[in-house]
Amino acid sequence: DTSDNTSKHNLPDQKQPNKLKMKLAIFALLLSAVAAFAPVQTERANTVLQATDSRREFLSAATAAVAVVAAAAPANAIRDYENIALLGGSEIIDVNNANVRVYLKLQGMYPGAAGKIVSHGPYESVSDLYKIPGISDGEKAVIKRYEARFTTRPPSADYVIDRINNGLYR
């Protein structure tokens, strides 16, 4: 009897360390699983991506500052071109700034003589129109017919750029 009791009592004692090991293993497993999903607060290494981000932030701030300064600056643009009527809104046409379509109103001028007038220049005087390279006698006669309606003003960059093609199509 006694030996049976002793052996029964020894079995739980031998299992006790195994239970403890098992509990520790489960606890360690749970702890590692939780640690895997927990955010880690460490200082990030400086990478090229971070340098790009800081440059973007700098450029964004600089762009915003320039926009504020530009918005506060007064507009220095010419609102009204003093010779606007000479671009086709009157009887007189400025040959240095008028668009090729203005010459549609003058019979015989468009497209030949008109194209040559806007393709060359600037002109010092109306008489310079007769010196355009490749101008025919017929085109000179048409220019002569409307010569009193032509004038020359200093070329304006706002209008010279669109003399040949102003983007208006039928």
Side-chain angles (χ1 to χ4, degrees):
D1 261 341
T2 320
S3 63
D4 280 338
N5 284 342
T6 308
S7 66
K8 285 182 185 177
H9 289 291
N10 287 341
L11 285 175
D13 288 338
Q14 288 174 355
K15 289 184 180 180
Q16 191 79 16
N18 287 339
K19 282 185 181 180
L20 183 61
K21 286 181 184 177
M22 184 62 82
K23 287 181 182 178
L24 285 173
I26 291 172
F27 180 73
L29 182 64
L30 287 173
L31 186 63
S32 65
V34 170
F37 293 103
V40 179
Q41 297 291 337
T42 59
E43 190 171 326
R44 294 173 26 187
N46 191 9
T47 63
V48 174
L49 184 59
Q50 286 175 331
T52 303
D53 289 343
S54 65
R55 277 184 270 170
R56 283 186 186 143
E57 290 171 7
F58 171 76
L59 289 174
S60 295
T63 303
V66 167
V68 167
V69 169
N76 293 326
I78 298 172
R79 290 180 179 226
D80 293 319
Y81 177 59
E82 65 265 6
N83 296 318
I84 195 83
L86 302 176
L87 298 178
S90 71
E91 289 293 313
I92 306 297
I93 298 171
D94 177 8
V95 294
N96 283 330
N97 293 299
N99 187 278
V100 70
R101 294 180 61 90
V102 171
Y103 299 100
L104 282 169
K105 299 187 301 184
L106 307 176
Q107 187 176 358
M109 287 289 293
Y110 186 86
K116 290 177 182 169
I117 290 171
V118 299
S119 297
H120 296 82
Y123 306 102
E124 294 289 323
S125 68
V126 176
S127 63
D128 289 347
L129 296 175
Y130 300 103
K131 300 174 191 170
I132 296 173
I135 195 161
S136 70
D137 290 336
E139 291 166 336
K140 287 180 183 179
V142 171
I143 291 172
K144 183 72 172 164
R145 184 178 348 148
Y146 297 109
E147 183 177 26
R149 294 185 61 185
F150 297 145
T151 187
T152 57
R153 296 287 192 267
S156 173
D158 296 332
Y159 299 103
V160 169
I161 195 168
D162 292 330
R163 288 180 63 206
I164 296 172
N165 180 3
N166 64 354
L168 297 176
Y169 305 101
R170 291 185 194 198

